[in-house]
Amino acid sequence: MRLLFWVAILFGGAVGLALFTQFNQSNVVLFYPPYRIELSLNLALALLLLVFFVAWTLLSAIRHLSEMPRRAAAYRERNRMLKAQAALRESIENLFAGRFARAERTAREAQSWPEQAQTAALIGARAAHHMQEAERRDGWLAQVSAPEREQARLVSLAEMLVDARDAEGALETIAQLQAQGSRQIHVQRIALRAHQHLNNWNEVLRLARSLEKRNALHPVLALRLKQMACEALLEERRHDVEALQEFWRSLSADERRAARIAEPAARYFAALGRQQEARRIVEDALKVNWDSRLVLRYADCAEPGQSLPQIQQAERWLVQHPNDAELHFTLGVLCLGQQLWGKAQSSFERALKYANTDDQRRLRVRAHLALARLFEQTERPEDAQRHYRESALLAA
C-alpha cells in the first residue's frame, strides 16, 4: 500500500512538472555589462538544479575523503572488537569443556579489547585455578580492579580458595563481601564449605538450616550436614549436662528425631546419669524413624533395677517388629538387668535366629557373649563355654 502511495505521488509530480514546463513562457535575463544573457525559465531552473547537484557531489566527496582516516580507524577497532569477543566466547566454551590451557590462552587474546579485558581476566583466573597454578591465578585476579567487577572478583576468589583448602582465606574474602552488603546464596554455600573444612560446626549448622529454608541445598545433603554438625556439637558437650540440655533444646523436632542425632544424644545423656531423658529421646525418635542403632541404644537408657517400663515398651514394639533381631537383643539386655533369666535367654536366642545377615555379625557376637554371661550367672558353665567359643569364632 505504501509503495502505491509513493508511485502515485511520483507520477503526479511528473505530470505537474510536464504541465509547468509546457505552459511556462517566462524568460530569465542576466545582465553582466557588456553582456546580456537571456534564458528561458525552464532552462534556468534546470541549470540551477545541475549546479546544485554538482556542488553537492563535490562537497560529499570532500567530506568522505576527509573522514577516511577516521573510518579506517573505526573499521580496525571494530574488527579488533569482534575478534576479541570471539576469543572471549571461545575462552568460556573451553573453560566449560575442561580445556583449561586453551581457555587461558584465548582469555589473553580476548583482552585485546579493553572493555572486556577484566572479564577475560576472571575467566583466565578460573582456568589457571583448575590447572593448580596459584601464581598465575593471582596474577589474573590482580588485573581485575574495576569497582563494578569487585564482587565478581571476590566471589571467584572465595570459591577458588575453598577448592584449594584455604578455608581461612576464603572466609576473609567472604567477610569483605558481607561488608559490602553481599548476601547471595552462592556465597553462603562457599562459606558453608569453608566452615566445614575448619570444623566450625555451629556455623555449619546455622548455614545448613538457612540454605535448607531457601531450598538452596538438596534435602538429603542438608540433613547429612546437620547430622554431622550435631554429632560434633553433642560430642563437645558430652561432659556438661547443662550445655548438653541447652543444645538439645535448641534443635528442631525433626533434627531431634533423626537417628544419627538422637543416638549419640541418648548415649551422652545416659553416660551423665540422665537415663529418663535418654529414654525419651530414643522413644520419640523411634516413633518416626525405626533404626537399629536407636533400638540397641535403648538398653543403655535403663536405670539399674528399674527397667520394667522399658521391657513393656519393647514388648509393644515387638508386636509391630516381630523379626527385628536388634529389638530381641535389647529386650534380652533389659530382662537380664531385671534378672528375668528365662525371658532374657529366649530373647537372645531369637536375636541369634533373626540376625542372619553379614551386617549383623557383630550383633551375633554380642548375643553369644550375653548368653555366655547369663549361663555363668545361672551356673551353667558348659553352655557358657559353648557360647564363648561361638562368639570367638564369629569375631575371628
Side-chain angles (χ1 to χ4, degrees), residues 11-78:
F11 277 101
V15 171
L17 182 61
L19 292 175
F20 175 76
T21 56
Q22 181 179 359
F23 296 105
N24 183 19
Q25 303 298 325
S26 303
N27 292 326
V28 175
V29 180
L30 299 176
F31 289 98
Y32 186 72
Y35 303 103
R36 180 177 182 273
I37 301 173
E38 186 175 352
L39 301 171
S40 66
L41 181 58
N42 295 334
L43 179 59
L45 292 174
L47 290 173
L48 285 174
L49 289 173
L50 179 61
V51 170
F52 173 78
F53 177 75
V54 170
W56 180 80
T57 303
L58 290 173
L59 291 174
S60 297
I62 294 170
R63 181 173 59 84
H64 284 298
L65 288 172
S66 64
E67 290 179 353
M68 281 187 67
R70 183 179 60 82
R71 289 188 175 186
Y75 174 76
R76 289 193 297 270
E77 179 68 17
R78 185 166 58 252

Side-chain angles (χ1 to χ4, degrees), residues 227 230-231 234-235 244 248 251 255-271 277-286 289 291-301 362 366:
Q227 288 174 349
C230 288
E231 287 175 13
L234 285 168
E235 186 177 3
L244 191 63
W248 183 253
L251 300 179
E255 292 167 349
R256 288 197 294 265
R257 291 170 181 168
R260 293 183 64 97
I261 299 175
E263 189 274 330
R267 181 169 72 250
Y268 298 144
F269 273 111
E277 294 182 38
R279 175 187 170 185
R280 284 196 298 271
I281 290 171
V282 174
E283 290 177 352
D284 290 343
L286 286 175
N289 299 307
D291 188 271
S292 60
R293 290 166 296 184
L294 287 171
V295 174
L296 292 173
R297 185 60 55 195
Y298 193 59
D300 298 335
C301 303
R362 185 182 178 188
R366 295 179 65 185

Side-chain angles (χ1 to χ4, degrees), residues 58-313:
L58 290 173
L59 291 174
S60 297
I62 294 170
R63 181 173 59 84
H64 284 298
L65 288 172
S66 64
E67 290 179 353
M68 281 187 67
R70 183 179 60 82
R71 289 188 175 186
Y75 174 76
R76 289 193 297 270
E77 179 68 17
R78 185 166 58 252
N79 282 345
R80 187 161 62 108
M81 180 187 68
L82 292 175
K83 289 180 181 179
Q85 288 178 341
L88 183 66
R89 290 193 298 270
E90 185 179 356
S91 179
I92 295 172
E93 292 170 0
N94 288 327
L95 180 66
F96 289 147
R99 299 185 290 266
F100 303 123
R102 292 175 61 182
E104 191 174 6
R105 185 177 65 254
T106 49
R108 194 170 287 108
E109 295 173 1
Q111 288 187 308
S112 60
W113 187 36
E115 293 295 329
Q116 65 181 24
Q118 297 189 27
T119 303
L122 290 171
I123 298 172
R126 291 273 185 177
H129 169 72
H130 284 295
M131 292 187 290
Q132 298 183 1
E133 296 288 346
E135 292 184 3
R136 289 214 306 268
R137 177 200 68 194
D138 295 339
W140 281 108
L141 289 175
Q143 300 177 34
V144 184
S145 57
E148 62 271 13
R149 292 182 178 85
E150 178 68 7
Q151 186 173 344
R153 184 186 71 83
L154 291 175
V155 172
S156 299
L157 178 59
E159 188 171 7
M160 289 185 284
L161 289 174
V162 168
D163 289 341
R165 298 284 178 173
D166 185 2
E168 293 181 354
L171 290 176
E172 290 177 3
T173 306
I174 291 172
Q176 296 179 41
L177 279 166
Q178 292 176 344
Q180 299 173 4
S182 177
R183 294 291 187 274
Q184 301 101 317
I185 290 177
H186 184 58
V187 174
Q188 290 188 349
R189 287 199 193 100
I190 299 171
L192 175 62
R193 292 173 57 194
H195 285 298
Q196 190 176 352
H197 291 326
L198 294 173
N199 294 332
N200 294 336
W201 297 112
N202 281 315
E203 287 299 310
V204 170
L205 182 59
R206 182 184 67 81
L207 289 169
R209 287 171 173 171
S210 175
L211 290 171
E212 185 182 23
K213 287 180 182 179
R214 301 168 72 175
N215 295 323
L217 276 182
H218 191 279
V220 175
L221 177 59
L223 178 60
R224 177 60 183 145
L225 289 172
K226 290 192 294 183
Q227 288 174 349
M228 291 172 59
C230 288
E231 287 175 13
L233 292 170
L234 285 168
E235 186 177 3
E236 290 177 3
R237 294 161 173 78
R238 67 185 184 276
H239 300 304
D240 188 342
V241 64
E242 293 183 0
L244 191 63
Q245 287 178 329
E246 182 180 358
F247 176 71
W248 183 253
R249 286 193 294 267
S250 71
L251 300 179
S252 66
D254 291 337
E255 292 167 349
R256 288 197 294 265
R257 291 170 181 168
R260 293 183 64 97
I261 299 175
E263 189 274 330
R267 181 169 72 250
Y268 298 144
F269 273 111
L272 290 170
R274 300 298 181 95
Q275 278 77 13
Q276 290 297 326
E277 294 182 38
R279 175 187 170 185
R280 284 196 298 271
I281 290 171
V282 174
E283 290 177 352
D284 290 343
L286 286 175
K287 289 178 183 178
V288 180
N289 299 307
W290 186 261
D291 188 271
S292 60
R293 290 166 296 184
L294 287 171
V295 174
L296 292 173
R297 185 60 55 195
Y298 193 59
D300 298 335
C301 303
E303 296 181 11
Q306 301 180 15
S307 55
L308 286 178
Q310 290 174 264
I311 293 174
Q312 295 171 355
Q313 179 62 60

